[in-house]
């Protein structure tokens, strides 16, 4: 799974360009594949590796930030 930040406008433009119905699940799936191929430097693998930087841009390692187990 990859995470990519895109806009609704980009999705709508993709649907029009490809001649697809924007509300159809297949269009969303194809758009996701298109974005990951078109913007490889902007996509993040999910989940991040334990020692990799956290996806929330805190500057901390994933395991010490969002990947840390909840503490009771």
């Amino acid at each position: 799974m990859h995470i990519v930040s895109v806009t609704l406008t980009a999705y709508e433009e993709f649907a029009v360009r490809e001649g697809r119905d924007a509300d159809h699940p297949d269009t969303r799936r194809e758009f996701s594949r298109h974005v990951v191929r078109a913007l490889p430097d902007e996509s993040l693998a999910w989940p991040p590796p334990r020692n990799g930087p956290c996806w929330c841009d805190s500057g901390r390692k994933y395991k010490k930030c969002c990947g840390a187990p909840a503490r009771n």
Side-chain angles (χ1 to χ4, degrees):
M1 179 185 299
H2 289 262
I3 296 175
V4 180
S5 177
V6 295
T7 63
L8 180 57
T9 303
Y11 173 71
E12 291 169 340
E13 289 171 355
F14 171 81
V16 169
R17 187 173 57 247
E18 297 293 316
R20 295 175 171 260
D21 176 16
D23 294 328
H24 197 278
D26 288 343
T27 303
R28 291 190 290 272
R29 192 174 9 247
E30 286 303 315
F31 179 67
S32 297
R33 291 179 183 141
H34 165 75
V35 168
V36 169
R37 284 190 309 265
L39 306 170
D41 295 338
E42 296 180 32
S43 68
L44 301 171
W46 185 258
R50 279 180 46 80
N51 289 317
C54 191
W55 64 275
C56 73
D57 288 332
S58 66
R60 297 170 30 188
K61 290 183 179 181
Y62 175 70
K63 69 180 181 183
K64 296 284 186 178
C65 191
C66 295
R71 297 191 172 123
N72 298 336

